[in-house]
Each structure stands twice: as C-alpha cells, then as structure tokens.
C-alpha cells in the first residue's frame, strides 16, 4: 500500500530537509521513514542544490523510472561507450551574404606581344603635312683612314755626325765546339838511313847453363789397390803411404821438365790406370800424367820451377779392375833439371 502525504505537508518536510542539508552549520541528517511496505511520494519539483557540486559516482547509481520512482540502475548501465560513427552530412545551408571586396592584387607581368596581324587592304591615305625639323642627331663615328699617299723624294744626305764614344766591351761569349779534325797531311819522304853506330862493349860472360838428367823409381812392385804411395824424385826408394816421407831437398833453383813415367810392364786391361805426380812441399804440382790400361808409360807436359830448400817427391796412385793376370807393377821416371852447376849439388 502506497502512502500519500498532502503536498503542502510533504513540501514542507522536504523543504525543511533540504534547508537543513543546505545549512552547513547543521550537520545532522534528516531521515524520512515510511511505514512498513510504504514509500515516500513527492508531488511537484524536487530541487537538490548540493548535487551539482558533489563528486561523480560510478557505483550504486540511482535511476528514476518514468513514473518518478527511484531505484538502483540496471547492471547494463556502464561507463560511457565509444563515440559513434560520424553521421551523414546535413543539407547545405543557405549561401551566406557576399563578403566585402578584397584589396586589389599587384599587376601581373606583361604578356608576350601577339603576332602582328595581316596588313589591311584599305587605300593609302593622303600624305600628311611635313612635321617640324627634328633636333640634330649625334655625331657619327669617324670614317676609316684614307690610303697612304705616295712617298716623297729622298732629301740630300746630311753631313756625317761625330763618332760617339766606344761602348763598354760585352762579356766574352761561350766557347764554340771544337771543329772536326782536319784531313791528315801526306806522309813525308823517308829520310836517309843514318850511319851505323859504333859496336858496344861485350858484356861479361854468364855462368854456363845446362840440363842434368835425373832418374828415380821404386825398389819394389806396387799393388793395384788404389792406395797412393810416395817415392823420392831422384834415386830409388821403397814406397811409403806417408806423404812427408821419401822427399829430396833442392840445393839450387832450377826447372824440372821432360818428365816421363814408366812401368815394369804394360798395365793390365780393364779399368786399370796409374797417375804419377811430382809434389813440392807436400802439394801436387802441374807435372803429372796417367798411364792407361794396357800402356806402360806417360809423359807430363810443361815444366815447374823450384828454389833452394824445396822438398820434392813423387806420388803414384794405381787402381782399377779387370784385365786378368798379375796386377802388381814397379814404377820409375826420368826428367831434366836445368841451369845447375853439377848434379851432386842439386839433390841430396
């Protein structure tokens, strides 16, 4: 059952309540409690001056029904949705009044001159009266020079002037290149042969020079084993494998030449060979020759000089293989030693 209250009484009550709320000095709330099952109906405008200035509420919002009843808003009432699509453009409104004329803009650039039109076909008009004489024009440019006139007659020669002072000598010029050599002159005539000069004095007689034969060799045979053995140059001696043994000492300077080596019999065939060399102070000299397979001698070319005190001997290198038969041989040699007074003083 709905309770209805007289308008004046309810208005009075609401006015008292709202007046109470609007007065900040009175902090107590006004509570209207209807009977059980009843309600409060306000017939007429309701004004709440404090609502516009209050904070916005997003929860427990109260909605009003068409009949004026208040109650919680439906749950479907949420926050404001997104802005809808823009509606169609409305009809064009009426044209506004014409605005005032704007300021005149600057004059545009002059356009290109148009093509000259064709000459008209009308008759030539009568000649007009002669105009007044115009002002004198500016002087024109100078004309080109005329041709040069003919040369006049040459005047008489004047008297010679005084000789001026001599100028300072200029620097000496660079010397020119040497000229080409002239052609040789003809050979002069051969002079007469001069008189033969006097015979000079005879020089002192020199010491007599001569060559002395030397001979040497081994006292026993040498095996074909490629071992080098050493012997004296002058005289016979037993072989040795020490190069400093069996040496002769030169007493007087001289030259050894015509060196020939021989064997007791021809060397065996195959690859047999024997090299015989004269040595000086434990060094081989150029006096050397080789006896080949099947041969029994050889001769050395050239000569070698020696001085007093030199130690000389002969080496024999005998080797090879093949040929069959006995292979041992005895070696000997001969030669000449020149420009010595006597053989006993040459070799000791």
């Amino acid at each position: 059952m709905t309770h209805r209250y007289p308008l004046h009484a309810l208005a009075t009550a609401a006015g008292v309540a709202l007046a109470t709320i609007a007065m900040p000095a009175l902090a107590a709330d006004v509570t209207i409690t209807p009977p059980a099952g009843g309600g409060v109906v306000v017939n007429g405008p309701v004004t709440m001056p404090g609502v516009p200035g209050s904070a916005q509420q997003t929860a427990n919002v109260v909605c009003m029904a068409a009949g004026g009843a208040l109650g919680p808003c439906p749950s479907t009432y949420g926050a404001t949705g997104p802005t809808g699509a823009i509606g169609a453009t409305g009809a064009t409104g009426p044209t506004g009044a014409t605005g005032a004329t704007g300021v005149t803009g600057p004059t545009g650039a002059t356009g290109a001159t148009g093509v000259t039109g064709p000459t008209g076909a009308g008759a030539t008009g009568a000649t007009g009266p002669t105009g007044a004489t115009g002002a004198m024009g500016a002087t024109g440019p100078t004309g080109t020079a005329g041709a040069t006139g003919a040369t006049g007659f040459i005047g008489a020669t004047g008297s010679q002037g005084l000789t001026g002072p001599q100028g300072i000598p200029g620097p000496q010029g660079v010397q020119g290149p040497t000229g080409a050599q002239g052609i040789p002159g003809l050979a002069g005539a051969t002079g007469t042969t001069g008189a033969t000069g006097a015979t000079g004095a005879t020089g002192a007689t020199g010491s007599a020079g001569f060559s002395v034969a030397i001979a040497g060799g081994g006292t026993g045979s040498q095996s074909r084993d490629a071992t080098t053995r050493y012997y004296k140059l002058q005289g016979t001696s037993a072989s040795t494998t020490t190069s400093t043994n069996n040496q002769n000492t030169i007493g007087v300077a001289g030259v050894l030449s015509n060196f020939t080596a021989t064997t007791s019999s021809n060397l065996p065939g195959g690859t047999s060979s024997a090299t015989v060399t004269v040595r000086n102070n434990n060094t081989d000299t150029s006096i050397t020759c080789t006896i080949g397979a099947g041969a029994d001698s050889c001769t050395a070319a050239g000569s070698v000089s020696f001085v007093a005190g030199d130690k000389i001997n002969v080496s024999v290198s005998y080797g090879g293989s093949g040929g069959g038969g006995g292979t041992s041989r005895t070696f000997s040699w001969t030669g000449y030693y020149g420009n010595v007074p006597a053989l006993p003083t040459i070799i000791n």
Side-chain angles (χ1 to χ4, degrees), residues 133-189:
T133 303
M136 181 181 294
T139 303
T142 304
T144 50
T148 304
T151 304
F153 295 103
I154 300 174
T157 303
S159 58
Q160 182 175 347
L162 299 175
T163 303
Q166 182 176 348
I168 301 173
Q172 182 175 348
V174 180
Q175 181 176 348
T178 304
Q181 182 174 351
I183 300 173
L186 299 175

Side-chain angles (χ1 to χ4, degrees), residues 6-95:
L7 178 60
H8 66 276
L10 183 58
T12 302
V16 173
L18 294 176
T20 303
I21 295 173
M23 296 178 62
L26 302 177
D29 293 334
V30 175
T31 302
I32 300 175
T33 304
V40 178
V41 177
V42 178
N43 292 319
V46 178
T47 301
M48 297 183 179
V51 173
S54 301
Q56 294 182 352
Q57 302 296 318
T58 59
N60 299 323
V61 179
V62 175
C63 292
M64 183 181 69
L70 302 178
C73 293
S75 60
T76 57
Y77 287 15
T80 302
T83 302
I86 297 173
T89 303
T92 303
T95 304

Side-chain angles (χ1 to χ4, degrees), residues 160-312:
Q160 182 175 347
L162 299 175
T163 303
Q166 182 176 348
I168 301 173
Q172 182 175 348
V174 180
Q175 181 176 348
T178 304
Q181 182 174 351
I183 300 173
L186 299 175
T190 304
T192 57
T193 304
T196 303
T199 303
T202 302
T205 302
S207 57
F210 56 92
S211 295
V212 177
I214 59 173
T219 57
S221 60
Q222 181 173 331
S223 300
R224 188 182 64 177
D225 56 6
T227 300
T228 301
R229 290 176 170 77
Y230 301 91
Y231 303 86
K232 289 184 177 182
L233 173 66
Q234 171 65 23
T236 59
S237 58
S239 67
T240 177
T241 57
T242 303
S243 62
T244 56
N245 292 343
N246 285 338
Q247 292 178 326
N248 296 114
T249 302
I250 295 295
V252 177
V255 178
L256 176 65
S257 60
N258 299 98
F259 183 83
T260 298
T262 59
T263 65
S264 54
S265 61
N266 292 356
L267 296 184
T271 60
S272 300
S273 67
T275 300
V276 184
T277 304
V278 177
R279 294 167 52 80
N280 180 24
N281 296 324
N282 301 318
T283 303
D284 292 347
T285 68
S286 62
I287 301 296
T288 182
C289 65
T290 299
I291 304 172
D296 64 352
S297 66
C298 66
T299 300
S303 61
V304 173
S305 298
F306 298 94
V307 297
D310 284 344
K311 304 292 185 180
I312 58 175

